[in-house]
Amino acid sequence: MASTAAAQSYCSWAVRQRGLGLCGGARAVPMTPRRCFSVSAAAGFDNQNREYVIVGGGNAAGYAARTFVEHGMADGRLCIVSKEAHPSYERPALTKGYLFPPDKKPARLPGFHTCVGSGGQRQTAEWYKENGIEVLYEDPVVAFDGKTQTLKTSSGKILKYGSLIISTGCEASRLPAKIGGNLPGVHYIRDVADADSLVSSLGRAKKVVVIGGGYIGMEVAAAACGWNLDTTIIFPEDHIMPRLFTPSLAKKYEELYQQNGVKFIKGALIENLKAGSDGRVSSAVLKDGSVVEADTVIVGIGARPVIGPFEAVGVNTKVGGIEVDSLFRSIIPGIFAIGDVAAFPLKMYDRITRVEHVDHARKSAHHCVEALLTSQTKPYDYLPYFYSRVFEYEGSSRKIWWQFYGDNVGETIEVGRFDPKIATFWIDSDSRVKGVFLESGSSEEFSLLPQLAKSQPVVDKAKLKSATSVKDALEIARSSLQSGAAV
Ligand SMILES: Cc1cc2nc3c(=O)[nH]c(=O)nc-3n(C[C@H](O)[C@H](O)[C@H](O)COP(=O)(O)OP(=O)(O)OC[C@H]3O[C@@H](n4cnc5c(N)ncnc54)[C@H](O)[C@@H]3O)c2cc1C
Ligand SMILES: NC(=O)c1ccc[n+]([C@@H]2O[C@H](COP(=O)([O-])OP(=O)(O)OC[C@H]3O[C@@H](n4cnc5c(N)ncnc54)[C@H](O)[C@@H]3O)[C@@H](O)[C@H]2O)c1
Ligand SMILES: O=C1O[C@H]([C@@H](O)CO)C(O)=C1O
């Protein structure tokens, strides 16, 4: 197992790659409490009444806790009710550093507790204790009563809250048990326990099948290459990352994966997963009848917001999740939702959405707690930001790291040959940049992306198309920002 130091050095590398300084910490401003709810005793937490309760101890909860501390409002007032055994950690690491082969310094807790992913402090279990934050581990909330403001946990604890923040995130969509979705050797990956189970399978695997061509599919397949495993990705669409990548962009990545030995079966659905004589998964049978042998299967077919037991708080029927306003307030006063589970107004595109990415988890947590604790009423104005990093382990022939900002709508202009850079610009009918993707950028280049996606400048499409390099294209885009035609 890797040392904490190794795990930390992986994290600082990761942060440097993203040039992050996100979610800039607010100055610590001790505040007078606005709500006079009877507060749990800081020392023993023996009172059933809690002023602030966060349900879900995941990524968003860790950043929310930090903001409570910054405002001097955590000590003896804040309780986090967690299903997991660990304090909040940076979940993205689970399909990145965590899956490095054993000899390549894999990331392990406590190395990647929040808020290290954005360059912040590493909030270990001791940090929560020192800051007077009560954390109930492995004790999920199973029932909720909005009228009496109470929660019941699986161990039978009854907690009364003053304000409640729901940060229950998402859970992995599963293949039905009747088609083999629960067989030993079939993995889903959402938390550290899942990742540990996968690592132990990878350690004895020979043939890996990855089902799903999205984020998990791409990241886990790349990790399996690091373990020198025979790896096949199976998905129903024509190309990987269908929700974001253009066919042309996907082709470049698919070719790179193929050079690393990964096989693709596209346009295919799973009929069932079959078990061998030992009861473990032994093959995937496709709808067309073909059979792919596998001793380890990783399923990454999307995620669903965890709304139970909070259905009564108001679910958005279109995008799922708990519906909130631009300050993360639900329809019930004193109840908020943040992170993956929140269906919130995406102001710049004037639509209600959920975002299942860590940047939003961090920023929504910060924004919600600021609004809760201060008189801040500035609406959340989020700019969508997605990224991935794969083949990062030492000794891989090429590392991949990309970022995307904005909305992937309109026509696309692709520049660069993936050697290593490539950029894609999404441009609307008024010639405005709506979204921008960049592979292998420098920190300075990546820092231009949010400016473009936010300002949506009018670009000279002909000029952009004729750019001979990504560097040129970014310069053209930068000059359009300066030309004053931005929104
Ligand atoms: C493997 C993996 C890799 C990822 N990589 C990236 C990446 O590279 N980049 C990126 O932008 N995003 C990535 N994401 C997405 C990102 O991690 C999420 O957007 C982020 O974790 C959302 O934070 P959250 O707090 O809303 O939910 P979570 O972090 O999922 O936390 C929710 C927590 O609530 C707990 N919970 C649920 N129900 C209850 C209950 N009833 N009682 C108590 N606790 C409960 C869950 O067990 C969990 O601990 C990744 C996600 C996964 C699964
Ligand atoms: N870098 C990142 O941002 C990152 C990395 C890992 C995970 N995540 C998050 O984790 C969650 C899960 O990721 P994911 O990759 O599972 O979801 P996803 O939505 O990115 O991809 C799901 C993929 O599953 C496939 N699919 C859907 N239904 C299928 C079926 N019945 N059979 C076979 N294939 C099917 C499709 O190819 C689709 O692309 C998401 O919230 C995601 O945002 C994010
Ligand atoms: O946001 C992230 O946090 C972790 C890492 O930086 C800390 O372990 C990771 O891999 C990310 O992508």
Side-chain angles (χ1 to χ4, degrees), residues 56 58-60 84 91-92 95-96 141 169 190 340 356-358 387:
N59 232 130
E84 291 188 62
R91 204 166 297 285
T95 37
K96 302 181 186 58
V141 167
R190 187 75 208 176
D340 281 13
E356 296 176 1
H357 295 272
V358 75
Y387 69 87

Side-chain angles (χ1 to χ4, degrees), residues 139-304:
D139 197 8
V141 167
V142 292
F144 153 78
D145 184 343
K147 283 203 188 78
T148 56
Q149 296 184 220
T150 50
L151 304 165
K152 187 178 169 195
T153 70
S154 67
S155 72
K157 283 195 188 72
I158 304 291
L159 310 173
K160 198 160 159 60
Y161 60 83
S163 300
L164 172 67
I165 300 179
I166 303 169
S167 66
T168 45
C170 276
E171 63 191 355
S173 300
R174 299 179 74 94
L175 289 176
K178 63 172 192 263
I179 68 159
N182 291 347
L183 285 175
V186 177
H187 295 267
Y188 301 84
I189 178 157
R190 187 75 208 176
D191 58 28
V192 163
D194 298 334
D196 284 339
S197 163
L198 175 58
V199 165
S200 92
S201 276
L202 290 176
R204 54 185 172 141
K206 291 201 169 54
K207 283 180 184 282
V208 172
V209 157
V210 177
I211 302 174
Y215 287 93
I216 298 259
M218 279 196 78
E219 294 182 5
V220 173
C225 293
W227 295 65
N228 292 317
L229 301 171
D230 177 326
T231 305
T232 305
I233 311 187
I234 304 172
F235 51 84
E237 297 90 355
D238 296 338
H239 63 77
I240 53 161
M241 293 290 289
R243 285 194 296 150
L244 180 62
F245 286 11
T246 61
S248 160
L249 194 53
K251 191 164 178 271
K252 312 280 188 304
Y253 286 90
E254 287 172 9
E255 283 167 3
L256 178 76
Y257 275 65
Q258 281 159 341
Q259 285 156 23
N260 279 277
V262 176
K263 288 165 272 187
F264 286 88
I265 304 182
K266 303 178 186 179
L269 278 170
I270 304 294
E271 176 70 23
N272 60 17
L273 299 175
K274 283 224 149 64
S277 54
D278 59 356
R280 250 182 98 83
V281 69
S282 63
S283 63
V285 182
L286 310 187
K287 288 268 185 227
D288 69 2
S290 52
V291 177
V292 187
E293 277 180 34
D295 50 51
T296 299
V297 171
I298 298 108
V299 183
I301 58 169
R304 284 187 309 238

Side-chain angles (χ1 to χ4, degrees), residues 18 20-23 59 63 90 92 118 339-340 355-366 380 382-387 404-405:
R18 293 194 301 279
L20 278 178
L22 298 172
C23 223
N59 232 130
Y63 282 78
E90 304 285 6
S118 60
D340 281 13
V355 171
E356 296 176 1
H357 295 272
V358 75
D359 177 57
H360 162 69
R362 294 167 179 163
K363 288 179 174 156
S364 62
H366 180 69
Y380 187 60
Y382 187 63
L383 171 67
Y385 164 48
F386 317 136
Y387 69 87
F404 169 84
Y405 282 87

Side-chain angles (χ1 to χ4, degrees), residues 12-21 385 401 403 405 421 438-451 474 478:
S12 17
W13 182 85
V15 169
R16 276 200 310 280
Q17 288 309 312
R18 293 194 301 279
L20 278 178
Y385 164 48
W401 68 99
Q403 298 186 2
Y405 282 87
K421 291 180 205 275
L438 174 61
E439 166 61 49
S440 296
S442 64
S443 304
E444 199 206 336
E445 288 167 340
F446 278 133
S447 70
L448 182 62
L449 270 44
Q451 297 177 53
L474 291 174
R478 190 194 302 277

